[in-house]
Structure formats: structure tokens, C-alpha cells
């Protein structure tokens, strides 16, 4: 991985850095930071950027089949937004001194992770509503916290992204409300979709805290403000009320309300399934990577044209400057 010339970490600089974190100061690209902070951010932010871009695929699958112009326009805008989120976050990652092309290549080579959720298929039109509601809903819970992350460019990207994710979530829930209040067949389609997306949505938050090797360090440095389990619990508590409001049920016979904590407690998550998907053996991992590789190959002429245009502009500017001297 190409990073800026590493500066040797020394105790005094580390102490000053940690004091800034403790004072809730924002860390900016030109500030000194421990190499480990930099590499953890590159890991997490690049995985996040890849997730946004790969996340366009499951929903993109339904654009041509949207049942009305209104739904098609909403879906087109949403998928386009996700591409934009990927670009903001790749830009944010570049401020850490890594080349975007290198990150994209890691994805194409199958060496980079992206969110497990995008390795599940969109089998019915209701899945488009369920993704907006649950997947974007989970993303908001996670990313609202990341908007307070200690690294300035990431936090600022999250503020902007969360505004759009809120729209995505609202349209997804409105979509599910419409199906749940529709014909019995439409309601059954909404329920069947909720059944398939519920558990993978809970897995998006990552392994339990006890099994999360990166959490302690990320929390110490103010990148993560809440743990995987805390955010998952918040999502469950928010979502169960929404499920009940539209008279659907989550596929969890063990779900119970805990009076003492005010939390909805779920049954066990299938972590074997989670790790299978993360390690590349989910239902759509190879299809998703295949689609990204094809798009990358077919987009080569666009990148070449943009480079040629940029070079021409630079040449023209140089010649103009030379003539004026
Ligand atoms: N899918 C794929 N991999 C995951 C997932 C997931 N849902 N959850 C955890 N992992 C991976 C981690 O990347 C890590 O692998 P690595 O060390 O090889 O990089 C490993 O599992 C262990 O997990 P943690 O130690 O808990 O990792 P971390 O502390 O980074 O927490 C989390 C994971 C919560 C996903 C965090 O990185 C994060 O908040 N990322 C930013 C948000 C994001 O990427 N969202 C993507 C989906 S949102 C959307 O695109 C709409």
C-alpha cells in the first residue's frame, strides 16, 4: 500500500496526538498521526467506499423492472447517490496518502472486504423496499456515529452521506408501508422479504464486541464512538417498533422485550453464515466481483479519455503561461 513517507512515531508526538483525541479535536490530513491510526482508517474507509459501490448492484438489478415511473426515478436517484458516497469516501481515503487506483485494484483482486450485506440477492421487488428500510436504516445508525469520528475528512463525508441515507431509509419504509397495506399478496411479499433481510442486516454491524479485533483501538482513537453490539441494539430497538407499526413480524422466535433495559433482545445470530459471506462464499460474492470487474474493464475508455483531456488542458495551460512570459 502506498502511503506518505512514514514519520517515525515517537512518544512525545503520540502523547500530543492522544491529548488531542481526548480533547475531541478533529485530526486533519496534514496533522501528525500514528501510522497505525492511518492504516486503520485506510482499512475501514476503503472497505466502506467499496461497500457503497458494490451496494449499487443489488438494487441496480431492479431499475429496469420498477413498476411505476415514480418508483423508477426514486431507485435511479438512490443508486446514483450510493455511487456518489463511494466517491466521497475514496476521496477521504486519499487524504491519508493512499492511491484510489490501488484500493480499487484490491477490490477487483478479491483482496479487499466490503459489507457482507451486498452478497445477498434481490429476489423480489419488495427487496428494494426492504433494503432502503433495513440496510440504509442500519447504515444510518452506524454512520451517524461515524459523523463524530476523530478523522475530519471521514466525519465530514459522513454528515453529508447521512442526509442522503435518511432519504433512502424513508423511501424504503414508505415502500414497505405501501406493500404491507396493499393486497394480501403484496403484504406476503413484504413479509417474505423482511424474513430474508432481517438477519443479514443485523450482521452488518460486525461481530460481537468480544470477537471484534479492531474495536478497542478504533474506540481509543475516537474513530468508533459506539461498539458493534451497542449500535446493533440501537438498530433493533428502533426497527422493531417500525415492524409492529406495519403489522409484520421479524423471523426470530426468541425475540423478547427486556423491561429492565428497555431493549428488544434477539435470538442468536448465525455467525457461521456471517463469516462464510465475509470470506467470499456468500450467495452472490462471485457475481458481485464479476460485475465490478466487467464495469471496470468496460469503463477503461472513459478513464483514458478523462486522462487525455486532463493532459491536454495541462499542456494548453502551460503553453498559455509560456506565451505570457
Ligand atoms: N461485512 C464484511 N466484513 C465485516 C463486516 C461486515 N458486515 N463486519 C465486520 N467485518 C470485518 C471487518 O472489516 C474486520 O476485518 P479486517 O480486520 O480484515 O478488516 C473483521 O470483520 C472484524 O471486525 P471488526 O474488528 O469488528 O471490524 P471493525 O472494528 O472495522 O468494525 C464495521 C466493522 C462496524 C463494519 C466498521 O468497519 C464500520 O463501521 N465501517 C464503516 C461503515 C461501513 O463500512 N459500512 C458499510 C455498509 S453501509 C453501506 O454501504 C450502505
Amino acid at each position: 500500500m502506498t502511503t506518505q513517507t512514514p514519520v517515525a512515531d515517537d512518544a512525545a508526538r503520540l502523547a500530543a496526538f492522544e491529548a488531542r483525541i481526548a480533547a475531541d479535536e478533529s485530526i486533519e490530513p496534514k496533522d501528525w498521526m500514528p501510522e497505525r491510526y492511518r492504516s486503520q482508517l485506510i482499512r475501514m474507509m476503503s472497505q466502506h467506499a467499496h461497500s457503497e459501490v458494490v451496494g449499487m448492484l443489488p438494487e441496480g438489478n431492479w431499475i429496469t423492472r420498477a413498476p411505476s415511473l415514480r418508483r423508477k426515478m426514486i431507485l435511479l436517484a438512490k443508486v446514483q447517490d450510493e455511487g456518489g458516497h463511494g466517491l466521497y469516501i475514496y476521496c477521504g481515503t486519499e487524504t491519508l496518502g493512499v492511491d484510489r487506483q490501488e484500493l480499487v485494484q484490491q477490490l477487483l483482486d478479491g483482496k479487499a472486504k466490503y459489507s457482507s450485506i451486498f452478497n445477498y440477492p434481490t429476489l423480489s421487488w419488495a427487496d428494494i423496499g426492504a433494503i432502503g428500510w433495513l440496510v440504509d436504516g442500519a447504515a444510518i445508525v452506524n454512520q451517524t456515529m461515524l459523523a463524530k469520528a476523530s478523522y475530519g475528512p471521514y466525519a465530514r463525508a459522513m454528515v453529508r452521506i447521512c442526509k442522503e441515507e435518511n432519504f433512502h431509509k424513508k423511501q424504503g419504509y414508505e415502500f414497505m408501508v405501501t406493500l404491507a397495506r396493499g393486497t394480501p399478496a403484496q403484504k406476503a411479499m413484504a413479509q417474505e422479504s423482511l424474513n430474508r433481510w432481517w438477519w443479514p442486516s443485523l450482521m452488518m454491524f460486525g461481530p460481537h464486541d468480544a470477537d471484534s479485533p479492531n474495536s478497542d483501538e478504533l474506540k481509543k482513537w475516537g474513530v468508533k464512538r459506539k461498539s458493534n453490539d451497542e449500535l446493533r441494539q440501537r438498530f433493533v430497538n428502533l426497527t422493531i417498533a417500525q415492524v409492529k407499526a406495519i403489522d409484520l413480524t421479524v423471523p426470530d422466535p426468541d425475540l423478547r422485550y427486556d423491561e429492565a433495559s428497555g431493549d428488544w433482545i434477539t435470538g442468536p445470530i448465525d455467525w457461521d453464515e456471517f463469516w462464510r459471506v465475509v470470506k467470499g462464499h456468500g450467495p452472490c460474492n462471485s457475481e458481485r466481483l464479476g460485475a465490478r470487474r466487467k464495469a471496470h474493464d468496460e469503463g477503461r475508455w472513459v478513464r483514458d479519455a478523462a486522462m487525455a483531456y486532463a493532459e491536454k488542458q495541462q499542456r494548453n495551460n502551460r503553453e498559455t503561461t509560456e506565451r505570457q512570459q
Side-chain angles (χ1 to χ4, degrees):
M1 191 172 279
T2 318
T3 54
Q4 283 166 349
T5 316
V7 185
D9 295 7
D10 62 52
R13 279 193 289 196
L14 184 59
F17 173 83
E18 290 186 340
R20 292 188 63 197
I21 297 278
D24 246 346
E25 281 182 37
S26 175
I27 306 299
E28 297 299 330
K30 288 185 178 162
D31 295 342
W32 184 87
M33 61 186 79
E35 275 311 304
R36 181 70 187 167
Y37 177 83
R38 186 190 301 279
S39 65
Q40 273 286 29
L41 279 169
I42 292 173
R43 177 191 68 82
M44 187 171 156
M45 290 169 68
S46 61
Q47 287 179 6
H48 190 169
H50 299 327
S51 303
E52 300 283 357
V53 172
V54 176
M56 297 166 80
L57 297 169
E59 290 178 285
N61 181 34
W62 279 89
I63 290 172
T64 55
R65 290 176 283 168
S68 70
L69 181 59
R70 176 174 177 265
R71 292 288 180 200
K72 192 191 285 277
M73 283 164 61
I74 294 172
L75 184 55
L76 267 171
K78 179 183 187 298
V79 170
Q80 188 175 326
D81 284 352
E82 306 298 0
H85 297 174
L87 298 186
Y88 301 150
I89 305 171
Y90 281 129
C91 284
T93 317
E94 283 179 313
T95 65
L96 291 156
V98 64
D99 189 81
R100 181 183 320 198
Q101 227 141 304
E102 197 176 324
L103 300 176
V104 171
Q105 198 55 50
Q106 288 168 4
L107 174 70
L108 300 176
D109 291 345
K111 292 181 186 154
K113 288 194 173 74
Y114 58 87
S115 183
S116 50
I117 193 76
F118 301 121
N119 291 305
Y120 290 86
T122 41
L123 301 177
S124 80
W125 171 241
D127 289 358
I128 301 307
I131 290 178
W133 173 31
L134 300 174
V135 176
D136 292 75
I140 291 169
V141 168
N142 171 271
Q143 292 170 23
T144 305
M145 279 299 141
L146 291 174
K148 297 177 186 151
S150 56
Y151 189 56
Y154 194 28
R156 288 190 289 275
M158 288 301 109
V159 172
R160 184 157 179 189
I161 287 173
C162 281
K163 288 184 183 156
E164 292 178 352
E165 297 291 15
N166 264 304
F167 159 75
H168 297 169
K169 194 241 158 143
K170 282 181 186 155
Q171 69 80 34
Y173 191 56
E174 186 262 352
F175 186 133
M176 294 301 272
V177 170
T178 307
L179 288 182
R181 291 185 183 154
T183 63
Q186 286 172 321
K187 185 168 181 186
M189 186 162 72
Q191 180 62 59
E192 191 274 333
S193 183
L194 171 58
N195 292 347
R196 280 183 291 107
W197 291 93
W198 175 248
W199 291 109
S201 299
L202 301 193
M203 294 174 194
M204 279 176 73
F205 293 91
H208 282 314
D209 297 347
D211 302 317
S212 164
N214 299 295
S215 278
D216 287 347
E217 201 169 41
L218 291 171
K219 281 182 87 178
K220 179 181 83 171
W221 280 331
V223 177
K224 273 186 170 178
R225 300 287 179 172
K226 297 272 182 206
S227 74
N228 296 359
D229 285 330
E230 286 169 325
L231 293 177
R232 184 170 16 247
Q233 187 62 60
R234 179 167 167 69
F235 172 73
V236 170
N237 290 349
L238 288 170
T239 310
I240 293 298
Q242 294 158 7
V243 171
K244 287 180 178 295
I246 53 174
D247 194 26
L248 297 180
T249 50
V250 294
D252 181 357
D254 298 324
L255 183 78
R256 64 182 175 84
Y257 184 68
D258 179 56
E259 292 281 349
S261 61
D263 287 333
W264 284 95
I265 311 296
T266 68
I269 293 174
D270 183 348
W271 294 112
D272 289 342
E273 173 180 325
F274 171 76
W275 288 115
R276 239 186 349 264
V277 175
V278 171
K279 289 179 181 160
H281 309 295
C284 298
N285 294 63
S286 53
E287 187 182 327
R288 300 292 181 241
L289 273 190
R292 285 310 314 149
R293 288 182 185 129
K294 182 166 179 283
H296 193 74
D297 287 347
E298 289 176 356
R300 189 176 308 280
W301 70 271
V302 179
R303 295 191 299 280
D304 288 348
M307 288 300 290
Y309 183 71
E311 279 162 18
K312 188 173 150 195
Q313 290 285 91
Q314 275 173 358
R315 205 168 44 245
N316 287 348
N317 289 346
R318 212 172 31 244
E319 284 168 8
T320 308
T321 313
E322 280 165 10
R323 268 199 305 276
Q324 285 167 347
Q325 280 167 353

